[in-house]
Structure formats: C-alpha cells, structure tokens
Amino acid sequence: MLEVNKLEIKTLDGKEIVKGVNFTLKENDKLAIIGEEGNGKSTLLKCIYDYNMIKSYAHIVSGKIVKNNLKLGYLEQFLNDKWNDNTVEDFFLKDTPDGEVNFEAYSYMYMVQKIFKDLGLNEIYLEENKKIGTLSGGEKVKLQLAKLVLNEPDVLLLDEPTNDLDVETLNWLEEFILNQTVPIIYISHDEVLLENTSNAILHIEKINNKQDSRVTYEHIGYKEYIEKRQHLITRQESIAQNEKREYNKQLEKFRRMYEKVNHELNTVSRQMPSKGRLLKKKMKAVKSFEKRLDNVELTKRPDIEEQIVAKFHNDDDIHNKKVILDFKLDCLYIGNKLLCKDIDLQVVGKEKVCIIGENGCGKTTLLKKIYENLKQRKDIKVGYMPQNYDDIFKNYKSPIEFLTKEYTKEEKTTAITYLSSMKFTNDEIFSDISDLSGGQKAKLFIVDLIMQKCNVLILDEPTRNLSPLSTPLINNLLKEYSGAIISVSHDRKYIAQVCDTFYLLNTMGLTKM
C-alpha cells in the first residue's frame, strides 16, 4: 500500500512546512489530515499525489513517498473556474477546461450515467448542455467525485470536499466515504464528518511560536483521538503545574536558608571566627542546593496551537423580551432571479437563530438584508461577519490596523492582547492581512466583534474556515455570548451547540423547525 517515511518538506527559502511524516495507508483506511489553516495539509496531500504540484514553492528535504504503482485519484480543493463555461458532458470528455474533446471517451458515457444514478446527480444535466458554472457547490463536488470514481483509482485523495456543502450534501458525502472500498486520505473542517468516517488521523501542528512542525499519526477515529489528546494535554498540564509548584516551594526554601545564613555570616563571623567557619560550610551546602535547583528539568506546559482564551463582553445587556428583529419581505431576489417569497422572521431577547437551507436558496442575501435593516438602530449594537472577508480586508494592511479604529495606545494594546489570545504571533499581528489563512481571517473578524462590544451578531457561516480543532472553542465562545445571534450555517456542530431556534429557507419562505 501507500507509504510515507520520514518526510520533510520546506519552502524554497527554507521555512519548514511539515517534518517527520510517517504512515502506512492500509486497506479500507479513511485517513483524515487535520490541523489549523496554513499548517501544510493541502501541500502534503498534493505532494503525495504529484510532487510537481508544489515544486513552485516547496521541495522535499528528506524522506520518501512509496506509491507501489498505485493509481491515485485527487479531488482539488476548488474546481477550476475555467470549467464554468464548459458543459457537464464536456467535463467527462476533456482532461482540462481548455483541452480538446476526447471523442473516444463517448464510449464510456453509459458508465457516467450509471455513476450519476449512484451519486444522486441529475442525468438530464448530461443531455441539456448544462453549464458547470450554474451548478451548486454540492453538485460540483459530486461531479468531481464521479469523474474520479470513473477512473477506478486505488486510493482517493480529497482536499476539503466539504467546502460549500449544505447539510443534506454533507450527509450524502459521509455515506460516500464510508461506502468506498478503496482507502481515502482527506482533509475536512467538518467535525461530524470526521467523527463519523475517519479511522486514522494525521495531525499537523505548528509549535514553538509556529516555527516548527509537529506531526502525530494515530490509527484511531477522530473522536477517540481528540479524547486521547485532551487526556494527555490535561495530564501534562497537571504534571507541569505540580512540578512548578514544588519547584517554587524549594526555591522559596533556598531563599530563606540563604538569607538566614548570609545574615549570620555578616553579623556573627567577625566576633566568633569558629562559628564563622561553620557558617561558611553551611553556605556551601546552601549553594549546592541552589545548583541542584538550577539543574531541575521541569515538564513543559502543553504547546497547544488552537487554544483560545478570549471572551465577549457586552456593555448593554439585552432584556429577554426585547424585540430584536421583526422582519417581513414579500419576495427575495438576487438580480432578476426570485429566490424565495413570504419571509417573516421575529427575533426576541437573547435568541440564537440559525437559518439553514440548500446552497443557492438565498440565505446570504437574506442575511445581508437583515443587517441593512438593523445596522441603523440606536438601541442595539450590531456586528456583522460576512461569508467572504476579502472585500473588507482589502482596505487594511495589517490585522492591527483593521482592529484599531481610534488609533489610541489603549486600543492597540487591547487588540494585541486579543490577537495573542487567538494564537497570532507577533509577526502575524503586524503582517499583511492577505498572508493570513482563512482560519486566521475568521478569528480576526471575531476579535473585531469582541472589541466592538456588540449585543447582536449577524454571522454568515462563522466556522466555515476554522479547523475542526478551533471550531469547538469558537462554538463555546458563541454559546456563552450573552446577546442575540442571527446566523446562517451548514456546520452541524455549530447548529446543535450554539443555536436554540432554527429556520429552513426554501422557495416558499422561512419555516420554523
């Protein structure tokens, strides 16, 4: 089977991406690669598939990848936009978006139709020249998987197949992964999918102020891995605290002994030389004790990359019966396209609302209208987190510039404190925002909401860019938030853990669930 031995990858300028990657992919393995954004997960997956995909920015320093003549199928993180003007049929008849149609491929189109049935794709798409650009995110993923399965690979490599999938398609993807007889290596942010499908974990972390890479491989499921890891972290934390406490006791004991003997030496030795010699021997023993303390190696506290200690603090608490939103809309359009009609939504007090629905049904458009409706209100402080941050971030150079609206010393200090609590390094705090990963940008936006002291939050898929390790911490942060939340999400953990009121959006409007 596929083997990776002592693999180390660095950037062309020498920065470590991953180091010490060791695993053997076994039959029926569902190996999930997890870790924070920017830790090298996609780079590793591409390197396993085809080193040429990363050689423009990285190179293998040492180690090897043994493929044993296996045929690998690779699902890229985002389908190339150049495919958008091609038809669904073209997708199966071409190797590249700009390539020529392979007429010999027509001979296996009957197999494509069978795979469409198996994957729940509409066969009409093949017949009516349906353009790929008109498909939903979930349909594009299914289309890519259909093409991969058609080539009968020995191993599937899936780079974040859960991106932009609605809840229904996420459930479908779980079944797809579980029912595959070939081994799969995949990256995903979705905790539920990881819990329900993985039987092996490769965890890539950045430690020592994000200078070094630590890779852990365990042939166990995601939930078991997280529980085991948390137990080890808690145990190490406890040992480190106990050792530090005992060390401080011994250090205090040394200080008392030293001060006492030193005082006696200064006041007694001149009058009583014989006692002075005895005290010098005693001081020698005290200094020997000091040397032993200097040589003590204490257990280090765990270096946990995803740790978050920030909290929301609202100046104005919301009364439980206060009407936050009373929103009605006959029809919701995007351009000339009717998305849905008869929208009626009320939010009262500290309600935490989540709107769910299929991709393309108008959730983001509706959320923007709700924000426009609320942002001029004087009796509430509203914060809005969009799905795409780049249009907002392009007006700022660095995270610290984005967060400091008044440019006071106190504001800057507060911003640095919050960013540090989100595990931003000093370099990241003052570096270009465009260099941040998607997960870091999400955390930066959350810090901004905290600093604004909003008592109403409007959140468009707040956890979509976060790692499965950071998501539980952000979910807990939002769960403990004392204001109202109006949100859209496909994250099943967020929906279950944070929200208490749910609406389904479809062409007929909003339905309370």
Side-chain angles (χ1 to χ4, degrees):
M1 292 304 293
L2 180 70
E3 297 177 56
V4 178
N5 298 318
K6 299 179 180 178
L7 186 68
E8 181 178 359
I9 304 173
K10 288 187 176 181
T11 61
L12 298 179
D13 59 2
K15 186 178 179 181
E16 187 173 280
I17 298 177
V18 292
K19 182 180 181 181
V21 183
N22 293 282
F23 69 88
T24 300
L25 193 69
K26 301 172 185 176
E27 190 175 351
N28 294 320
D29 268 359
K30 307 295 187 288
L31 172 62
I33 303 176
I34 64 171
E36 295 299 298
E37 283 296 297
N39 280 9
K41 302 185 298 294
S42 291
T43 294
L44 175 60
L45 200 67
K46 290 173 183 176
C47 186
I48 292 170
Y49 178 65
D50 182 1
Y51 167 68
N52 291 318
M53 295 180 74
I54 68 166
K55 69 178 184 180
S56 64
Y57 65 91
H59 66 110
I60 297 174
V61 176
S62 61
K64 58 183 179 179
I65 301 169
V66 183
K67 299 182 184 179
N68 293 314
N69 295 317
L70 293 168
K71 182 197 271 189
L72 307 183
Y74 173 73
L75 178 91
E76 58 189 330
Q77 190 172 141
F78 299 103
L79 184 62
N80 191 329
D81 286 340
K82 290 182 179 180
W83 280 111
N84 286 342
D85 290 329
N86 284 269
T87 67
V88 171
E89 186 179 64
D90 287 340
F91 185 70
F92 292 93
L93 300 175
K94 292 181 175 183
D95 294 325
T96 63
D98 301 323
E100 297 294 324
V101 169
N102 177 12
F103 291 99
E104 292 181 5
Y106 275 105
S107 62
Y108 66 62
M109 286 306 288
Y110 75 94
M111 295 173 62
V112 174
Q113 291 175 330
K114 181 183 181 303
I115 289 172
F116 265 45
K117 286 182 181 178
D118 293 341
L119 300 188
L121 280 164
N122 195 333
E123 293 175 69
I124 296 176
Y125 290 174
L126 289 169
E127 301 167 3
E128 60 180 21
N129 294 322
K130 183 83 169 176
K131 291 288 184 69
I132 289 175
T134 65
L135 301 180
S136 69
E139 288 172 325
K140 288 178 181 178
V141 169
K142 288 184 179 182
L143 203 66
Q144 291 171 276
L145 290 172
K147 193 169 184 177
L148 287 183
V149 172
L150 193 67
N151 291 322
E152 299 182 335
D154 300 307
V155 178
L156 283 173
L157 309 177
L158 312 179
D159 194 352
E160 299 198 24
T162 52
N163 276 346
D164 300 320
L165 298 189
D166 55 37
V167 174
E168 183 180 350
T169 312
L170 282 168
N171 290 327
W172 171 88
L173 183 62
E174 282 183 17
E175 292 299 317
F176 174 86
I177 291 173
L178 288 170
N179 292 333
Q180 289 302 302
T181 56
V182 300
I184 302 176
I185 305 176
Y186 59 106
I187 300 168
S188 175
H189 289 178
D190 191 276
E191 285 183 86
V192 176
L193 181 130
L194 291 169
E195 288 177 357
N196 292 345
T197 59
S198 65
N199 59 16
I201 300 295
L202 189 77
H203 185 185
I204 303 174
E205 300 173 87
K206 292 295 183 186
I207 57 173
N208 299 329
N209 206 28
K210 299 188 180 180
Q211 295 302 305
D212 302 317
S213 175
R214 178 171 66 200
V215 178
T216 306
Y217 171 75
E218 294 266 11
H219 202 276
I220 54 179
Y222 177 76
K223 191 172 184 178
E224 185 181 352
Y225 173 77
I226 294 299
E227 290 172 353
K228 180 179 178 180
R229 178 174 182 263
Q230 188 56 52
H231 173 74
L232 292 174
I233 288 170
T234 303
R235 185 171 179 271
Q236 185 178 339
E237 182 72 45
S238 177
I239 291 171
Q241 286 180 354
N242 290 337
E243 287 183 358
K244 185 66 174 176
R245 192 181 300 114
E246 182 59 31
Y247 177 81
N248 288 337
K249 285 181 182 178
Q250 294 299 316
L251 191 62
E252 183 59 30
K253 180 181 177 182
F254 157 75
R255 286 173 183 153
R256 289 197 304 269
M257 289 168 57
Y258 179 84
E259 288 172 2
K260 181 181 178 183
V261 174
N262 191 53
H263 175 73
E264 290 176 344
L265 270 171
N266 290 332
T267 58
V268 176
S269 59
R270 291 179 184 177
Q271 293 88 1
M272 304 174 64
S274 59
K275 190 170 183 179
R277 287 191 292 271
L278 190 64
L279 286 169
K280 286 178 182 178
K281 286 184 179 179
K282 199 171 182 180
M283 178 60 81
K284 189 176 181 181
V286 170
K287 289 185 175 180
S288 178
F289 181 42
E290 181 185 25
K291 285 182 180 179
R292 290 199 301 273
L293 285 177
D294 288 342
N295 292 327
V296 169
E297 290 188 11
L298 298 174
T299 300
K300 293 181 179 179
R301 299 185 70 173
D303 191 344
I304 309 168
E305 186 182 14
E306 72 275 8
Q307 190 176 35
I308 295 171
V309 293
K311 288 183 70 176
F312 281 95
H313 299 282
N314 303 330
D315 287 340
D316 299 318
D317 199 21
I318 290 179
H319 191 276
N320 289 331
K321 293 184 179 180
K322 183 178 180 64
V323 177
I324 302 299
L325 179 70
D326 187 4
F327 184 81
K328 292 178 173 60
L329 190 67
D330 292 334
C331 294
L332 180 66
Y333 290 91
I334 183 166
N336 294 321
K337 182 182 178 182
L338 176 64
L339 299 173
C340 50
K341 55 186 181 180
D342 297 329
I343 304 292
D344 189 350
L345 177 62
Q346 287 82 38
V347 178
V348 178
K350 300 174 184 179
E351 246 184 313
K352 292 181 171 62
V353 173
C354 186
I355 300 168
I356 63 172
E358 293 182 357
N359 282 334
C361 70
K363 300 185 298 297
T364 291
T365 305
L366 174 60
L367 214 59
K368 287 178 180 177
K369 286 193 173 294
I370 290 171
Y371 175 59
E372 290 298 320
N373 181 275
L374 292 179
K375 70 178 185 179
Q376 303 301 329
R377 290 261 297 270
K378 302 298 183 183
D379 59 328
I380 55 175
K381 175 73 172 175
V382 182
Y384 173 56
M385 183 178 182
Q387 190 178 129
N388 189 334
Y389 329 121
D390 291 337
D391 287 343
I392 295 173
F393 285 149
K394 69 182 180 182
N395 299 316
Y396 301 92
K397 291 180 180 178
S398 66
I400 197 69
E401 183 183 325
F402 172 67
L403 293 174
T404 49
K405 307 296 189 291
E406 304 296 332
Y407 301 103
T408 63
K409 184 178 179 181
E410 181 183 0
E411 188 182 41
K412 184 177 179 181
T413 300
T414 302
I416 291 172
T417 300
Y418 275 122
L419 288 172
S420 298
S421 77
M422 292 280 188
K423 288 290 185 174
F424 277 69
T425 66
N426 195 60
D427 286 344
E428 289 168 342
I429 289 172
F430 294 97
S431 66
D432 197 311
I433 288 183
S434 62
D435 293 334
L436 299 179
S437 68
Q440 288 171 310
K441 289 177 181 177
K443 290 175 183 177
L444 174 58
F445 229 104
I446 289 167
V447 167
D448 186 50
L449 295 177
I450 292 173
M451 290 184 64
Q452 288 184 51
K453 297 184 178 179
C454 306
N455 52 18
V456 177
L457 298 180
I458 299 178
L459 310 174
D460 195 349
E461 298 196 37
T463 62
R464 74 190 299 265
N465 290 313
L466 297 171
S467 80
L469 295 144
S470 287
T471 298
L473 301 172
I474 296 298
N475 283 349
N476 191 57
L477 185 72
L478 294 171
K479 181 181 179 180
E480 293 179 352
Y481 173 67
S482 61
I485 294 177
I486 306 167
S487 62
V488 163
S489 182
H490 298 306
D491 182 338
R492 292 167 287 182
K493 286 278 187 177
Y494 169 85
I495 293 169
Q497 294 175 356
V498 176
C499 303
D500 48 43
T501 308
F502 313 97
Y503 289 88
L504 174 65
L505 181 67
N506 55 30
T507 55
M508 300 308 294
L510 273 177
T511 305
K512 195 169 185 178
M513 300 173 68

